[in-house]
Amino acid sequence: MQTTVHPVDEKLPLGRVTALGLQHVLVMYAGAVAVPLIVGRALNLPPEQVAMLISADLFVCGIVTLIQAMGCTQWFGIKLPVMMGVTFAAVGPMVSMAQSTGGHAGAGLIFGSVIGAGIVSILIAPIVSRLLRFFPPVVTGTIITVIGISLMRVGINWIFGNPVGPTAPQVPNPEHLKWLSEAQAMAGAPGSALPPVPAGFAVVPTIPNPKYADLTGVGISAAVLLTILLVARFGKGFLANISVLLGIVVGGVITAAMGLMDFHKVAEAQWFNIVLPFEIAAPVFDPILILTMTLVMIVVMIESTGMFLALSDMTGKKISQAELTRGLRTDGLGTLIGGIFNTFPYTSFSQNVGLVAVTGVKSRWVCVAGGVILVLLGLLPKMAMLIESLPTVVLGGAGLVMFGMVAATGIRILSTVDFIKNRNNAMIVAVSIGVGMIPLVAPNFRQWMPHAIHPLIESGILLASMAAVLLNVFFNGARGDTEAVIQAARQADAH
């Protein structure tokens, strides 16, 4: 008697499963490398260590994908066609930590918060799987919209330059700096009547910085953006799905042809290297930062719940409460592994869930193959250094699309919300987005508040998440609607 194998468990020929796995990797690659680039540069780490972040991230993406798709003991792995990648939801809090404490000290705080949040997430996964009623589409849509809007600032700064530092819009007048330097020298001379220059005294930037919004860089970003739009418009199927990656490749070719890309670091990088734990910084455990990252992980796991339910619906394989808990527990395990290998929190990549719907291939072994490819890519330092060597203007054109699509995904989820019969939903969205914008528009709003709570309130994503959950409970109660969550998750194939 022949046993029927469910399409999810079907093992395909090696050549086909490898090609389909590579397809999944290419779809997620641009999003996977964006976060280590953002956080590494926010920490002001040297290029070699930013490249190490990229390698470690790809390596852990592969490991966690293998655990999720294959299953590991009775505790971990949902055994569905899921690709795991670093979540954009954690970028805002991590960049805030990096700006408060830069360098290796800041990296240690980030990795400590990631490890702590991973452990807590593993423990609370069974509880989170029952919290779905607190996160209807009006809440998740609002949160994802704020995530996208918050990240847009990063993409825009990649194009034009950061508002502070060497690429700030204005710089001090060199004549004023020269006068200050001479005054300092005179004040320090023996017998001088000049008082010493006050501590912290600085010259105000007053003249335009030629490095800010350089037209050559803006033109390169525009070329990347135009390439992405053309591929998305005229490309078909898989080609359209990797439009962002192709845009980055075209931008890299343009900058290399113009002599703006430095390849000597790529030449010096090793062909092969093992990714080791704690290579960049040892973790530092701060309870408030761990709580902050845990709140992010709760939002991430709720989003994963919707993805798992949608994937179950797409593949026709029903999942039990225990299987859902295993999937969420793997989010926590992936985050724990990420912190150990000096990377970040992990979740299911929804663009890959969308690819399952587009291709119709439901086998989880395709994602297993994708996981193996990601592990191998993580062991190739030259590949990571090549990505790190890309000028930020190339990434800016792609970031505009990537982060804008996150915001667009949130808007699409909100399109499933009933704003006519329940007018309170509009109030929830309006106030939550407004609260989420406070750190972006008025970053110094917290200056008179207790310093201990700063990590909790300096992320617009966290503020918007808390506001949306509380306002939804206040106006709508905690009514569960699993079907609405599934439909919302189906809308999120671009996040």
Side-chain angles (χ1 to χ4, degrees):
M1 181 177 175
Q2 189 173 7
T3 304
T4 304
V5 177
H6 194 282
V8 166
D9 300 314
E10 181 184 3
K11 293 186 178 180
L12 305 175
L14 181 61
R16 187 173 179 222
V17 80
T18 303
L20 290 169
L22 179 61
Q23 187 179 44
H24 271 284
V25 170
L26 292 175
V27 166
M28 70 176 289
Y29 191 81
V33 300
V35 176
L37 281 170
I38 294 169
V39 178
R41 288 173 177 174
L43 286 165
N44 291 318
L45 294 177
E48 296 76 15
Q49 293 193 331
V50 175
M52 286 168 61
L53 276 181
I54 294 170
S55 290
D57 178 44
L58 294 172
F59 178 79
V60 176
C61 278
I63 294 295
V64 184
T65 296
L66 291 173
I67 294 172
Q68 190 73 280
M70 290 180 65
C72 181
T73 74
Q74 73 269 33
W75 302 104
F76 302 102
I78 197 167
K79 297 184 181 179
L80 287 174
V82 177
M83 295 293 291
M84 302 291 287
V86 61
T87 174
F88 282 130
V91 170
M94 290 191 295
V95 168
S96 295
M97 295 177 201
Q99 290 171 343
S100 299
T101 309
H104 293 91
L109 288 170
I110 290 174
F111 301 140
S113 70
V114 171
I115 290 173
I119 294 171
V120 175
S121 299
I122 291 172
L123 297 175
I124 66 173
I127 301 171
V128 174
S129 67
R130 293 174 171 82
L131 292 179
L132 202 57
R133 65 184 184 275
F134 294 105
F135 290 84
V138 69
V139 173
T140 55
T142 301
I143 293 171
I144 293 173
T145 300
V146 172
I147 290 171
I149 295 171
S150 299
L151 290 173
M152 287 292 283
R153 175 179 56 177
V154 174
I156 291 169
N157 287 341
W158 275 346
I159 297 173
F160 300 111
N162 288 311
V164 294
T167 59
Q170 290 188 314
V171 292
N173 190 315
E175 294 181 4
H176 297 175
L177 291 175
K178 181 182 177 184
W179 176 89
L180 178 62
S181 177
E182 291 173 352
Q184 284 178 308
M186 291 174 62
S192 173
L194 285 174
V197 177
F201 181 82
V203 178
V204 175
T206 55
I207 63 175
N209 184 355
K211 294 182 179 180
Y212 183 80
D214 173 60
L215 293 181
T216 300
V218 173
I220 293 169
S221 294
V224 172
L225 178 59
L226 181 61
T227 301
I228 294 170
L229 295 175
L230 289 173
V231 174
R233 170 65 179 85
F234 298 107
K236 303 295 182 185
F238 170 64
L239 198 64
N241 283 330
I242 61 168
S243 59
V244 173
L245 182 61
L246 292 177
I248 292 174
V249 170
V250 169
V253 171
I254 292 173
T255 52
M258 295 175 68
L260 301 175
M261 195 168 169
D262 185 1
F263 289 100
H264 85 273
K265 290 180 292 185
V266 181
E268 293 172 358
Q270 296 174 277
W271 279 104
F272 179 85
N273 191 35
I274 299 295
V275 177
L276 298 173
F278 309 123
E279 275 195 283
I280 295 173
V284 177
F285 301 100
D286 183 294
I288 296 293
L289 297 183
I290 291 173
L291 175 60
T292 302
M293 199 60 71
T294 299
L295 292 174
V296 171
M297 282 305 299
I298 291 173
V299 174
V300 165
M301 288 194 289
I302 291 296
E303 187 186 349
S304 291
T305 300
M307 291 299 159
F308 294 150
L309 293 174
L311 200 51
S312 169
D313 190 54
M314 289 178 196
T315 58
K317 185 175 183 180
K318 299 301 178 185
I319 56 174
S320 65
Q321 185 74 37
E323 289 170 321
L324 181 59
T325 299
R326 286 206 303 268
L328 296 178
R329 198 181 281 124
T330 306
D331 277 10
L333 177 64
T335 300
L336 172 59
I337 295 172
I340 292 172
F341 282 94
N342 284 174
T343 64
F344 315 109
Y346 288 84
T347 186
S348 57
F349 256 34
S350 56
Q351 54 262 58
N352 293 88
V353 174
L355 189 61
V356 171
V358 170
T359 63
V361 178
K362 302 174 182 179
S363 173
R364 61 190 171 98
W365 296 101
V366 169
C367 292
V368 170
V372 172
I373 293 170
L374 284 168
V375 169
L376 294 176
L377 287 173
L379 301 177
L380 302 176
K382 277 191 185 294
M383 179 68 73
M385 187 57 79
L386 181 64
I387 297 297
E388 196 284 329
S389 299
L390 285 170
T392 53
V393 289
V394 173
L395 300 169
L400 209 62
V401 176
M402 281 192 296
F403 307 144
M405 287 299 288
V406 175
T409 298
I411 294 169
R412 280 160 50 182
I413 292 173
L414 288 174
S415 71
T416 66
V417 175
D418 181 5
F419 290 105
I420 298 174
K421 294 180 181 177
N422 186 349
R423 296 174 63 184
N424 290 329
N425 283 334
M427 184 71 74
I428 295 169
V429 175
V431 175
S432 300
I433 290 180
V435 170
M437 291 300 98
I438 291 174
L440 293 179
V441 178
N444 295 325
F445 78 102
R446 64 189 188 278
Q447 65 184 20
W448 304 118
M449 299 179 187
H451 192 270
I453 68 168
H454 282 195
L456 283 173
I457 61 175
E458 62 192 1
S459 167
I461 297 167
L462 277 178
L463 290 178
S465 300
M466 291 187 285
V469 170
L470 294 174
L471 287 170
N472 179 65
V473 171
F474 177 71
F475 283 114
N476 297 330
R479 297 187 299 272
D481 187 353
T482 303
E483 184 58 34
V485 173
I486 293 174
Q487 291 306 314
R490 280 180 170 275
Q491 292 287 330
D493 60 358
H495 173 50

